[in-house]
Amino acid sequence: LPQLFYDTHFNSLVYSITMHLLYILEKKQHNDAVIDVITAINPYIGFPRTLNCLRIANEVFQETKKNAK
């Protein structure tokens, strides 16, 4: 898992999103589908949270790509 933040509340959110993303990628979903879902929920969660989710998703994508090699 990516080591992202040290804030306890935010760290639990990061952990939750990371675990969901890893599960989705384990089910062979494409990265673009994940980005589409995060973008679609933007009106409901707000732009700052969407940016955080996209950043976390990008880190998870990079980490899984690095581990696949």
Side-chain angles (χ1 to χ4, degrees):
L1 296 174
Q3 299 297 319
L4 299 172
F5 295 98
Y6 298 102
D7 179 25
T8 330
H9 175 68
F10 192 69
N11 196 24
S12 65
L13 175 66
V14 169
Y15 178 78
S16 176
I17 293 170
T18 303
M19 295 312 298
H20 281 85
L21 288 170
L22 290 173
Y23 177 78
I24 290 169
L25 294 174
E26 182 180 286
K27 298 298 177 188
K28 306 297 185 207
Q29 293 295 322
H30 198 271
N31 294 356
D32 291 338
V34 173
I35 299 297
D36 289 344
V37 170
I38 293 172
T39 305
I41 63 173
N42 179 28
Y44 305 102
I45 66 173
F47 190 68
R49 288 184 181 153
T50 302
L51 287 179
N52 285 334
C53 289
L54 290 172
R55 182 186 46 74
I56 294 166
N58 187 37
E59 290 181 13
V60 170
F61 297 155
Q62 290 175 358
E63 192 73 24
T64 55
K65 183 187 280 187
K66 185 171 60 173
N67 290 339
K69 290 183 181 180

